[in-house]
């Protein structure tokens, strides 16, 4: 322990020794039930830090080593989740799958073509604020994921924090980087597809237009919960994506062009393709330049718009001219490998249209309803749930006029929802006239809302390319979602819209659902909704060939619906075999899309090798499942009771004072800002602080991670099973569905710690600080200890959280018994990974104690900006450190000026008086404010290290 670090940071803190301390303390708990190993280690580190026995830098080094190891393990898990072995294995598996479908076609190219005529799966890149790591750290983790798994002693060498500035432009760049890898992977899989197809069906296979899967993005188009994205931004990024796609196709074709024969016909067609792409790129460049020059000047808008809208024949609005030339070229060349390459490039163009990917526009139901009220402006729109209102909307759809828009009307429109439809119209007219655009409606809980969207789509003439997709995510939405869709399908106007589009689109979300009723009940509620949807679509007897498109939106964490297993487990957890079978039995074509959330989810597409494996897995997931064999669905009464009891338990937790205290103790202040979307902070002195209903799902889950116990995943299983313990265990052994749920719960439990939750609340216990003062071993800190003890006497956070911990501990008794009976790891005996997580918790808690101690030494001051010293101390204990520093630096300005003795020549006139504030304010800065700031920043960095253990942010 006397060894010093190379940077002379004092004694080296040995993590192995500290982990042994944690183990030793755990063995003492049966004889000392109030013992908390994490708290004990944190307190010991705090005392040693305050006495200068160990340095802050030494603690940083220790935590850094632990975070690096957690980061490496997370990267290794990424490899396992994707299922990556090597590129050869990926292509072998995919080729085998294509061969299987070819064999099933029994020699019929028509049957084979029909099998691949529509995409059965899709990838959607979303961008909620989960960009918790820097670009450099993301890249490093991807490098580790694809490196030799046996490699030892891997270093990270990068801080565990996000980019300093996170903008929407940066998020768009990140998603386009991932999509670039997806496009590469898609073309590579098409090569494999055509290789198999041509062997089975000859050269006719090269004229097929297979649809392996779709890829889409809503980054730059998502206005749900934000109003900082202008129409010009969305239109601009759509043009950028078009240009990038055209340039990408040109670059790929130029490489291919060198492999063509010298025959006149081939070279002539090749020149036509390059020429068409060059002119199209030039047209987009002209549009971009015009739009970028426009900065809100209405007079210039007309000039810019006229450039964008001019018809000179160069602006490509459809892929068909290119596809026609590609088909001609296939006919003119003789080498099979060249035909295959042309067919693969044509397939990529077919998949993405005139963009790097498809796009999703996104708003919420409130925005849509308000826009409709503004448009109609009649009393009957006040209650859109009434039958009379629904009838009026239906009548409006039947008699809908055809409106046209230009860029002036788009710029003047203030209703967000109408502006999005007008934007769709302008994209359809001037960017891409045929690629479908998804129109997502969050918080859709009424048939009228969806019909309003149909009306606006028809009004602006985009109903033929717009897939209107309501999101069912809230408890009410999931409970009533099937009835809402049934009511819609009773209306001929909606049926006509769906049948014209040949697609009924819906979206389900695991985020708010998991936040309000718990993740496992949410998953079961979503599955029940799918079953109801299959039944009502079958009953509705829509025209043949109308597919049901189900978009499962979730995050990358367990708290947002991502299964901890590999991609196959994850996809079948979201859309179960039972759900797939019910649609198949009713002969309903289904497409299942799933989201990958930036930036954590983008790591699946961090390089070509990972991306190809991930995409191949998604494509193969379109397979129809084998016959049913899961008894969970046969015992409907038991399954329903299980769901209802589990949901009720989670809802009681949701209202528990301790749960709210966990969420509100530090709020999002433990976390870095991880995205461009504005975060609505809790009121600084509001009695409603910590109300989960006023908090987004991502910070809700992130805070639960940071407190160490993922309550909304692991809690309530024992209550749900109830008195039928033996029956449940017998059923679970033969139920794949229950095994997938238990695997989720079990994994969450192995990295969850009630000791961590209890320890993190202990800083709000007045008794802790009073005891530190009364022991007399830290005399120099007695005054701040007494200040903290006095200030926290009326504080109820620790007491409320302690009560929650007791409740959860009782719940965990049954949980451990059930998991043990199923031979599922439950974390009762923590592994090295979990012990390192516990140690990280202890280190961070010691640093939070340091912030509390520094805050208790803040000097009194005249109220600043209406804030008293007591209020500022409250803010500091909620870790609102940047705000506290701003107040104190304003009250006690420290300029860093000197008396000028060090200025060359000095002052001729001498002075005996030295301004007192130079020393006092300087000491305040160097002894309290700067250490508080430095400590707080590292507290947040440790939070990133903790999130490594959970595999995602929030």
């Amino acid at each position: 322990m006397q060894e010093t670090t190379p940077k002379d940071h004092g004694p080296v803190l040995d993590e192995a020794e500290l982990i042994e301390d944690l183990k030793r303390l755990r063995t003492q708990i049966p004889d000392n039930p109030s013992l908390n190993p994490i708290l004990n280690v944190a307190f010991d580190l705090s005392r040693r830090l305050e006495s200068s026995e160990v340095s802050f830098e030494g603690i940083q080094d220790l935590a850094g080593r632990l975070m690096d190891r957690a980061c490496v393990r997370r990267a290794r898990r990424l490899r396992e989740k994707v299922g990556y072995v090597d590129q050869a294995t990926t292509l072998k598996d995919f080729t085998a799958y294509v061969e299987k479908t070819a064999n099933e076609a029994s020699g019929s190219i028509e049957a084979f073509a029909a099998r691949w005529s529509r995409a059965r799966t899709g990838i959607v890149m979303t961008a909620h604020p989960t960009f918790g790591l820097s670009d450099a750290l993301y890249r490093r983790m991807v490098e580790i994921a694809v490196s030799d798994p046996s490699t030892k002693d891997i270093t990270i060498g990068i801080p565990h924090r996000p980019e300093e500035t996170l903008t929407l432009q940066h998020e768009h760049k990140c998603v386009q980087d991932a999509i670039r890898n997806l496009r590469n992977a898609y073309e590579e899989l098409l090569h494999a597809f055509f290789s198999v197809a041509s062997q089975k069906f000859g050269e006719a296979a090269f004229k097929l237009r297979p649809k392996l899967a779709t890829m889409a993005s809503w980054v730059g188009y998502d206005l749900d919960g934000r109003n900082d994205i202008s129409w010009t931004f969305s239109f601009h990024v759509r043009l950028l994506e078009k240009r990038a796609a055209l340039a990408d196709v040109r670059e790929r074709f130029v490489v291919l062009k060198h492999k063509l024969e010298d025959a006149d016909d081939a070279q002539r067609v090749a020149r036509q393709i390059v020429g068409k792409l060059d002119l199209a790129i030039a047209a987009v460049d002209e549009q971009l330049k015009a739009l970028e020059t426009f900065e809100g000047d209405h007079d210039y808008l007309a000039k810019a718009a006229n450039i964008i809208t001019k018809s000179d024949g160069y602006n490509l609005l459809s892929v068909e001219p290119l596809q026609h030339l590609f088909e001609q070229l296939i006919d003119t060349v003789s080498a099979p490998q060249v035909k295959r390459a042309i067919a693969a490039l044509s397939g990529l163009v077919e998949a993405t249209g005139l963009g790097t990917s498809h796009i999703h526009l996104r708003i919420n139901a409130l925005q849509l309803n308000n826009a409709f009220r503004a448009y109609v402006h009649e009393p009957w729109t006040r209650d859109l749930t009434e039958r009379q209102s629904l009838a009026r909307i239906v009548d409006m759809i039947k008699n809908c006029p055809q409106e046209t828009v230009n860029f002036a009307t788009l710029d003047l429109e203030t209703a967000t929802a109408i502006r999005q439809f007008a934007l769709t119209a302008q994209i359809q007219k001037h960017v891409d006239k045929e690629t479908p655009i998804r129109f997502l409606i969050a918080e859709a809980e009424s048939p009228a809302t969806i019909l309003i969207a149909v009306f606006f789509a028809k009004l602006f003439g985009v109903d033929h390319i717009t897939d209107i997709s309501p999101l069912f995510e809230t408890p009410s939405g999931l409970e009533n979602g099937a009835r809402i869709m049934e009511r819609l399908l009773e209306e001929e106007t909606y049926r006509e819209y769906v049948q014209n589009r040949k697609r009924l689109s819906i979206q389900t979300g695991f985020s708010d659902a998991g936040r309000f009723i718990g993740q496992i009940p949410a998953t079961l509620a979503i599955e029940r909704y799918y079953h109801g949807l299959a039944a009502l679509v079958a009953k509705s007897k829509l025209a043949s060939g109308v597919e049901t498109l189900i978009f499962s939106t979730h995050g990358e964490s367990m708290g947002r619906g991502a299964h901890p297993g590999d991609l196959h487990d994850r996809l079948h957890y979201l859309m179960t075999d039972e759900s797939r079978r019910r649609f198949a039995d009713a002969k309903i074509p289904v497409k299942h899309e799933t989201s990958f959330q930036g930036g954590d989810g983008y790591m699946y597409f961090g390089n070509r090798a990972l991306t190809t494996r991930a995409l191949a897995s998604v494509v193969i997931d379109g397979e129809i499942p084998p016959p049913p064999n899961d008894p969970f669905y046969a015992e409907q009464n038991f399954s329903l009771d299980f769901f209802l009891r589990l949901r009720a338990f989670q809802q009681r937790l949701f209202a528990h004072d301790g749960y709210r205290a966990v969420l509100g103790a530090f709020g999002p202040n433990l976390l870095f800002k991880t995205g461009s979307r504005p975060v609505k902070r809790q009121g600084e002195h509001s009695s409603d602080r910590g109300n989960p209903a006023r908090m987004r799902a991502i910070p809700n889950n992130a805070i639960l991670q940071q407190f160490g116990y993922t309550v909304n995943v692991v809690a309530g299983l024992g209550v749900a099973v109830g008195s039928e313990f033996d029956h449940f265990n017998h059923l679970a052994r033969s139920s794949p569905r229950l095994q997938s749920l238990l695997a989720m719960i079990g994994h969450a439990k192995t990295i969850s710690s009630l000791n961590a939750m209890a320890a993190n609340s202990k800083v709000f216990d007045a008794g802790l600080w009073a005891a530190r003062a009364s022991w007399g071993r830290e005399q120099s800190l007695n005054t701040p200890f007494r200040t903290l003890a006095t200030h926290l006497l009326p504080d109820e956070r620790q007491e409320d959280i302690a009560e929650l911990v007791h409740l959860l501990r009782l719940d965990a008794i049954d949980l451990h018994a059930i998991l043990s009976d199923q031979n599922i790891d439950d974390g009762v005996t923590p592994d090295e990974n979990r012990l390192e997580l516990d140690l990280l918790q202890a280190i961070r808690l010691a640093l939070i104690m340091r912030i509390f101690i520094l805050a208790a030494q803040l000097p009194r001051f005249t109220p600043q900006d209406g804030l008293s010293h007591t209020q500022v101390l409250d803010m500091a204990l909620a870790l609102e450190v940047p705000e506290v520093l701003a107040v104190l630096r304003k009250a006690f300005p420290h300029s860093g000026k000197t008396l000028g003795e060090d200025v060359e020549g000095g002052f001729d006139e001498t002075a005996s008086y030295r301004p007192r504030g130079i020393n006092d304010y300087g000491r305040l800065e160097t002894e309290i404010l700067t250490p508080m700031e430095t400590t707080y920043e590292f507290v947040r960095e440790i939070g990133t290290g903790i999130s490594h253990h959970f595999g995602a942010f929030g």
Side-chain angles (χ1 to χ4, degrees):
M1 292 294 293
Q2 298 308 308
E3 179 189 354
T4 58
T5 66
K7 297 180 181 178
D8 195 25
H9 291 165
V12 173
L13 285 162
D14 185 348
E15 56 263 44
E17 184 177 318
L18 290 167
I19 286 173
E20 283 303 314
D21 285 345
L22 285 170
K23 290 180 179 177
R24 176 180 52 80
L25 289 165
R26 284 185 66 86
T27 64
Q28 298 174 15
I29 293 176
D31 298 315
N32 184 3
S34 63
L35 180 65
N36 187 321
I38 294 173
L39 179 62
N40 275 39
V41 171
F43 167 70
D44 183 60
L45 285 172
S46 171
R47 193 163 59 178
R48 293 166 69 188
L49 177 63
E50 299 307 330
S51 67
S52 299
E53 180 185 337
V54 298
S55 66
F56 175 71
E57 291 78 13
I59 286 181
Q60 280 184 307
D61 290 342
L62 168 63
R65 295 193 297 274
L66 293 170
M67 290 191 287
D68 283 354
R69 287 205 288 272
C71 186
V72 171
R73 283 194 291 267
R74 180 178 177 185
R76 295 292 195 216
R77 286 199 301 272
L78 174 64
R79 180 191 185 96
E80 295 167 4
K81 286 181 177 182
V82 174
Y84 176 72
V85 178
D86 54 41
Q87 197 73 341
T89 302
T90 298
L91 295 177
K92 178 183 175 183
D93 291 345
F94 182 74
T95 300
Y97 177 67
V98 178
E99 285 179 346
K100 175 177 175 291
T101 63
N103 292 334
E104 289 170 349
S106 303
S108 168
I109 191 172
E110 291 78 15
F112 181 70
R115 162 60 184 83
W116 292 96
S117 63
R118 67 178 187 88
R120 302 183 179 199
T121 55
I123 291 169
V124 183
M125 314 296 278
T126 65
H128 285 311
T130 54
F131 292 83
L133 309 176
S134 66
D135 291 355
L137 191 52
Y138 279 126
R139 287 193 296 270
R140 184 73 187 104
M141 290 173 67
V142 169
E143 289 172 3
I144 295 168
V146 296
S147 65
D148 184 348
S150 64
T151 305
K152 305 293 184 183
D153 301 322
I154 296 176
T155 59
I156 299 296
I158 301 167
H160 298 264
R161 55 187 300 135
E163 294 290 320
E164 288 297 326
T165 303
L166 286 169
T167 64
L168 186 57
Q169 289 85 348
H170 175 79
E171 292 171 356
H172 187 260
K173 173 190 174 298
C174 291
V175 77
Q176 291 304 309
D177 288 345
I179 287 172
R180 193 173 302 113
N181 285 329
L182 266 170
R183 290 172 65 85
N184 289 334
Y186 196 94
E187 188 183 30
E188 187 168 14
L189 293 183
L190 281 169
H191 272 273
F193 175 90
F194 283 112
S195 178
V196 172
S198 61
Q199 290 172 26
K200 297 285 185 179
F201 305 106
E203 290 192 358
F206 294 128
K207 292 294 187 71
L208 298 177
R209 292 192 182 184
K211 296 175 177 61
L212 308 185
T214 55
M215 55 191 97
S217 166
W218 77 32
V219 184
Y221 309 99
D222 173 17
L223 293 182
D224 174 33
R226 64 190 302 169
N227 57 11
D228 59 330
I229 302 178
S230 64
W231 73 263
T232 53
F233 183 90
S234 295
F235 194 79
H236 184 246
V237 297
R238 184 62 186 87
L239 286 176
L240 287 174
E241 289 166 15
K242 179 177 180 178
R243 192 200 188 284
L246 291 169
D248 179 49
V249 172
R250 186 189 188 282
E251 181 181 341
R252 293 173 196 270
F253 184 73
V254 168
V255 173
L256 170 61
K257 184 172 178 287
H258 294 304
K259 301 176 183 178
L260 297 177
E261 297 115 346
D262 292 331
D264 290 342
D265 286 348
Q267 291 301 325
R268 174 181 55 79
V269 176
R271 286 194 297 273
Q272 286 180 297
I273 292 172
V274 173
K276 190 168 287 293
L277 288 168
D278 284 342
L279 289 173
I281 290 169
V284 178
D285 283 340
E286 193 175 13
Q287 291 178 319
L288 280 166
K289 183 178 179 181
L291 188 64
E292 288 165 359
T293 310
F294 165 59
E295 296 179 353
D297 183 338
H298 197 76
D299 293 333
Y300 187 80
L301 175 59
K303 298 175 185 177
N306 291 339
I307 293 171
I308 294 170
T309 61
K310 72 177 181 179
S311 297
D312 53 14
Y314 298 147
N315 185 21
L316 201 60
L317 296 177
S318 168
V319 299
E320 280 309 311
L322 283 175
Q323 297 292 53
H324 179 68
L325 290 171
F326 283 139
E327 288 190 0
Q328 282 188 42
L329 192 57
I330 289 172
D331 288 335
T332 61
V333 298
S334 56
Q337 65 269 28
V338 178
K339 288 179 180 286
R340 185 181 69 225
I342 299 167
L345 181 55
S346 172
L348 175 63
V349 173
E350 182 79 13
T352 57
L354 293 171
T356 52
S357 71
H358 292 190
I359 63 169
H360 289 188
L361 307 185
R362 187 167 181 257
I363 59 170
N364 61 49
L366 182 62
Q367 291 168 315
L368 191 55
N369 293 342
N370 286 341
F372 184 71
R373 292 186 181 102
Y375 179 83
V376 176
H377 202 62
E378 291 182 14
W380 65 268
T381 63
R382 290 170 188 162
D383 185 357
L384 294 171
T385 63
E386 288 187 354
R387 181 175 293 274
Q388 178 192 26
S389 298
L390 204 64
R392 292 245 194 156
I393 298 167
V394 168
D395 189 60
M396 288 177 67
I397 295 172
K398 289 178 180 177
N399 300 291
C400 185
Q402 184 75 53
E403 295 279 10
T404 60
V405 296
N406 62 14
F407 284 104
T409 54
L410 177 58
D411 191 52
L412 289 171
E413 181 57 64
T414 57
T416 300
I418 295 178
R419 192 168 66 241
Q420 290 292 78
F421 279 105
L423 175 66
T424 303
Q426 292 301 83
I427 290 173
Q428 186 260 333
K429 284 190 291 182
H430 306 298
V431 183
D432 185 338
K433 72 178 184 181
E434 60 200 4
T435 302
I437 293 176
R438 193 75 49 79
F439 201 94
L440 304 172
I441 308 168
E443 301 168 4
E445 297 185 356
S446 164
T449 301
I450 295 98
L451 288 174
I452 288 168
V454 173
F455 168 74
F456 280 131
K458 193 172 180 183
L459 180 72
F460 293 114
V462 294
D463 51 316
H464 64 295
I465 65 161
T466 305
D467 289 315
I468 293 165
S469 179
L471 166 62
F472 299 109
E473 180 172 29
T474 63
S476 173
L478 287 172
E479 189 171 333
N480 299 310
R483 174 58 189 149
I484 290 171
M485 297 308 299
E486 184 177 29
R487 181 67 185 85
L488 285 169
L489 287 168
E490 291 170 357
E491 295 294 344
E492 194 57 37
T493 53
Y494 183 75
R495 291 173 64 88
E496 287 177 0
Y497 160 72
V498 167
Q499 289 173 151
N500 288 337
R501 279 295 304 136
K502 293 190 178 303
R503 173 178 288 174
L504 183 152
S505 302
I506 64 100
Q507 177 189 1
T508 57
F510 291 73
S511 301
D512 282 337
R515 176 164 60 102
F516 286 116
I517 62 174
Q519 191 48 242
I520 305 303
T523 301
L524 291 170
I526 289 168
E527 184 179 19
R528 291 170 64 83
Y529 170 68
Y530 292 162
H531 296 174
L533 183 66
L536 74 91
V537 172
K539 177 184 173 184
S540 68
K541 300 190 183 303
L542 291 168
S544 175
V546 174
E547 77 174 2
T548 298
L549 188 153
I550 294 174
F551 174 24
S552 298
T553 45
H554 56 91
E556 303 307 313
S557 75
M558 290 173 289
R560 288 174 61 76
H563 195 276
D566 62 19
L567 258 179
H568 179 271
D569 292 338
R570 168 172 165 167
L571 294 170
H572 286 254
Y573 179 81
L574 301 169
M575 180 75 167
T576 63
D577 285 352
E578 180 67 19
S579 298
R580 297 166 193 240
R581 271 192 294 267
R582 294 197 182 198
F583 283 100
D585 290 347
K587 294 182 171 48
I588 301 168
V590 172
K591 182 186 180 197
H592 181 225
E593 295 183 348
T594 183
S595 63
F596 291 84
Q597 191 175 81
D600 295 336
Y602 295 177
M603 281 196 287
Y604 285 82
F605 314 104
N607 72 6
R608 186 162 182 168
L610 279 181
T611 305
T612 307
R613 179 76 243 186
L615 179 59
S617 297
V618 169
V619 174
I620 293 170
D621 194 60
E623 191 72 355
I624 297 173
N629 59 352
D630 195 324
F632 180 67
Y633 302 101
E635 300 204 26
Q636 294 184 16
N637 290 336
F638 176 81
S639 300
L640 179 60
D641 288 344
F642 175 81
F643 162 71
L644 293 174
R645 287 193 292 257
L646 186 53
R647 184 180 68 176
F649 183 87
Q650 283 282 345
Q651 287 176 321
R652 287 196 297 273
L653 284 180
F654 189 80
H656 194 286
D657 288 342
Y659 189 81
R660 296 181 177 220
V662 165
L663 296 179
F666 300 121
N669 300 315
L670 274 175
L671 314 167
F672 286 113
K673 190 174 187 295
T674 56
S676 67
R677 186 175 70 178
V679 177
K680 183 180 180 181
R681 293 176 56 87
Q682 301 296 297
E684 290 182 354
H685 311 294
S686 170
S687 60
D688 206 26
R689 187 187 189 99
N691 182 350
R694 297 185 177 276
M695 183 175 287
R696 294 188 187 276
I698 291 171
N700 177 92
N701 293 322
I703 292 166
L704 293 178
Q705 286 179 358
Q706 296 302 314
F707 263 76
Y709 202 81
T710 52
V711 180
N712 61 351
V713 178
V714 303
L717 183 61
V719 169
V721 171
S723 61
E724 300 182 84
F725 183 89
D726 292 336
H727 179 63
F728 176 84
N729 284 331
H730 175 74
L731 184 64
R733 290 189 192 99
S734 55
S735 168
R737 181 51 168 163
L738 280 178
Q739 285 294 315
S740 72
L741 294 170
L742 292 174
M744 176 103 149
I745 296 169
H747 183 75
K749 185 64 187 74
T750 62
I751 48 177
S752 290
S753 168
L754 286 171
N755 284 333
M757 179 177 279
N760 280 312
S761 71
K762 201 65 178 176
V763 288
F764 299 105
D765 181 6
L768 171 71
W769 303 107
R772 285 186 76 164
S774 66
W775 292 331
R777 294 187 181 181
E778 301 171 272
Q779 288 288 344
S780 62
L781 296 176
N782 270 6
T783 298
F785 290 159
R786 290 168 66 96
T787 298
L788 288 169
T790 303
H791 185 81
L792 290 169
L793 271 175
D795 197 294
E796 297 178 348
R797 279 174 284 193
Q798 193 274 330
E799 183 179 340
D800 289 339
I801 295 173
E803 184 180 317
L804 175 66
V805 169
H806 298 331
L807 172 64
L808 293 173
R809 203 175 292 283
L810 288 171
D811 172 69
I813 295 171
D814 294 328
L815 172 62
H816 286 302
I818 294 167
L819 295 177
S820 176
D821 189 86
Q822 298 293 321
N823 294 316
I824 295 173
D825 185 13
D826 57 4
V828 167
T829 304
D831 59 14
E832 291 299 314
N833 177 43
R834 163 64 188 283
L835 287 167
E836 289 194 2
L837 174 58
D838 286 354
L839 182 53
L840 263 182
Q841 288 276 7
I843 293 167
R844 188 182 59 180
L845 184 56
L847 295 179
I848 291 174
M849 289 178 181
R850 186 184 208 200
I851 292 173
F852 274 47
I853 292 166
L854 290 169
Q857 300 174 68
L858 293 173
R860 300 276 174 179
F861 55 85
T862 303
Q864 297 286 321
D865 299 326
L867 293 171
S868 67
H869 177 272
T870 299
Q871 288 173 313
V872 169
L873 181 55
D874 274 335
M875 292 164 62
L877 302 191
L879 295 188
E880 295 175 13
V881 173
E883 295 86 343
V884 169
L885 295 173
V887 171
L888 267 293
R889 283 169 175 159
K890 183 177 180 180
F892 302 98
H894 175 59
S895 66
K897 293 179 180 178
T898 69
L899 288 177
E901 293 94 334
D902 54 344
V903 178
E904 184 177 353
F907 288 90
D908 292 335
E909 183 181 16
T910 61
S912 61
Y913 169 74
R914 181 180 183 87
R916 300 295 191 267
I918 290 179
N919 291 335
D920 291 346
Y921 290 11
R923 280 196 297 271
L924 173 63
E925 180 64 45
T926 59
E927 295 176 10
I928 297 180
L929 301 187
T930 297
M932 184 183 290
E933 185 171 42
T934 305
T935 306
Y936 174 65
E937 285 303 308
F938 197 63
V939 160
R940 292 200 292 174
E941 188 165 332
I942 292 175
T944 304
I946 288 171
S947 73
H948 286 326
H949 287 267
F950 289 88
F953 179 90

